[in-house]
Every structure is written in C-alpha cells, then in structure tokens.
Amino acid sequence: MPKGYWIARVDVRDAEGYKDYVAAAKLAFDRFGAKFLARGGEHEKAEGPGRARNVIIEFESFAAAHDCYHSPEYQRAVAIRQKVADGEIVLVEGI
C-alpha cells in the first residue's frame, strides 16, 4: 500500500504562538504515526513565491494522512495555527 504524505509550506507570523500549535498538533501526529522527513531547515525557492518553512510528513497510508488532518486533535491545532501563521497543506499519495 502506498504511503501518504503531507506537504506543508508555512510563513509563521508569531513564533511564540506557533509553539502552541506544535504542542497541540503533536497529539494528532503521535496518534497517526506521523514521521517527519523535512521540518524547516535550509531550502531554495526554485520556482514560485515559496514560504519560509517547509515540512514533509510521512504516514503509513493516504488514509492515515487524511484521517490525521481531519481528526479532532488536529483540527484543534489548525485553529491555533491559523491565528499565528499562513500557509498551505497538501495531502499526497505516494508511489
């Protein structure tokens, strides 16, 4: 079965407030077995406007990636993140 991934691109507006999001999101990530492949770090904007923070998270399946994003635990974290950061998250099935 193909793995599932989140690809997130984020600009953090409030670094202290973002810590609350990270703590809240951890509950969902632990529950759904999230494995961080990239989290911040050096990056290059090869095309398009880009964002300051880029994250790739691996899940055992696309269904697990989907269920994590839509879980009550993560949706509580989303409410925090949207107050302190701007960005996009795409859920992708692996090959």
Side-chain angles (χ1 to χ4, degrees):
M1 174 183 311
K3 296 194 183 247
Y5 298 88
W6 287 18
I7 300 171
R9 301 170 351 120
V10 180
D11 286 328
V12 176
R13 289 182 272 112
D14 175 354
E16 284 302 310
Y18 197 76
K19 291 177 185 178
D20 294 334
Y21 158 74
V22 170
K26 185 178 183 325
L27 298 173
F29 294 149
D30 288 348
R31 177 177 169 205
F32 289 94
K35 179 181 176 184
F36 285 81
L37 302 180
R39 182 188 260 177
E42 185 176 346
H43 68 282
E44 176 183 337
K45 295 181 223 173
E47 290 187 34
R51 296 264 185 193
R53 183 172 177 79
N54 301 281
V55 181
I56 301 171
I57 308 171
E58 181 181 78
F59 295 85
E60 284 303 310
S61 66
F62 183 81
H66 173 275
D67 292 348
C68 182
Y69 183 83
H70 295 284
S71 70
E73 296 92 341
Y74 191 72
Q75 289 305 302
R76 282 190 287 278
V78 167
I80 296 167
R81 179 178 42 79
Q82 290 177 340
K83 293 176 185 174
V84 298
D86 300 308
E88 303 85 31
I89 297 175
V90 178
L91 283 57
V92 179
E93 182 180 57
I95 54 172

